[in-house]
Amino acid sequence: PGQGGATFLLRVPSASLGDALARLSRLAHVASLQQSSTDVTGSYDALAARLRDARAERSALLNALAKASTAGEIASLRARLAIVRGRIGALQQQLDGLRGQARMASVEVSVDGRRRAAVAPHRHPWSPGDALHDAGRVLEVAAGAALVGGAALLPLALLATAAALAARSLRRRRREQALDAV
């Protein structure tokens, strides 16, 4: 046990990066950690400009289509419009991808299982006090489970008692009727 290692490439939301790194460090000895981020501002701005241009072109084509009078002109404008709509969809997907990339950070973590994670200075290895606390917690959970179980069984017990009383009363009446008939 504890003799292996692993390397992970994780994508973590940028807003949670600090918390994720702290949690990873508590799991095991982190042999190395590399964090990278890519500045996508230039790419994003260029794509956004191309998308604005494509949308402006679509708007112009729609205006031209509204004014077109011949079948050939209408067909040509519709074909160009289909191409521009496809370009708009592709640009929108690329822009959405860049937004997702900007929201995530890449973290490469190498974990060495041969070394134990460092114990925090204020925390000592498991002690009798910890054992007592854990035992108390087990008893607390067991008592909670018993209470919930009792609460679930109480209505059933009341119904069973009412049914038993009704059956006893019915037997008594039948016995009295049988004795009166004699």
Side-chain angles (χ1 to χ4, degrees):
Q3 300 199 4
T7 299
F8 301 96
L9 180 58
L10 306 173
R11 302 268 297 147
V12 179
S14 298
S16 305
L17 183 60
D19 186 45
L21 294 178
R23 288 177 184 223
L24 285 170
S25 296
R26 285 193 300 257
L27 289 175
H29 172 72
V30 178
S32 68
L33 178 72
Q34 290 182 345
Q35 172 192 344
S36 66
S37 60
T38 305
D39 184 12
V40 295
T41 307
S43 299
Y44 184 88
D45 290 344
L47 272 174
R50 289 174 55 203
L51 183 59
R52 277 191 308 273
D53 291 346
R55 287 179 174 158
E57 184 179 355
R58 177 185 61 191
S59 187
L61 286 170
L62 287 171
N63 286 336
L65 185 60
K67 296 175 185 174
S69 56
T70 67
E73 193 178 15
I74 291 172
S76 173
L77 287 169
R78 283 187 176 166
R80 287 178 51 199
L81 196 54
I83 292 169
V84 171
R85 284 182 175 150
R87 191 173 346 131
I88 288 172
L91 289 169
Q92 187 63 56
Q93 281 184 334
Q94 290 175 17
L95 208 54
D96 291 344
L98 275 180
R99 281 188 192 117
Q101 186 178 343
R103 282 191 290 266
M104 302 297 277
S106 295
V107 179
E108 185 175 314
V109 180
S110 296
V111 178
D112 184 356
R114 292 168 291 194
R115 295 178 60 187
R116 294 183 55 129
V119 177
H122 66 280
R123 178 102 168 110
H124 301 288
W126 199 59
S127 68
D130 292 333
L132 182 61
H133 177 269
D134 292 347
R137 181 72 181 130
V138 167
L139 291 174
E140 183 181 329
V141 170
L147 186 62
V148 169
L153 292 176
L154 181 64
L156 295 175
L158 290 174
L159 286 173
T161 302
L165 289 174
R168 192 165 99 188
S169 176
L170 182 62
R171 271 195 311 265
R172 184 179 300 149
R173 273 194 232 129
R174 286 186 182 165
R175 192 174 357 167
E176 288 173 1
Q177 286 175 351
L179 289 174
D180 287 343
V182 178

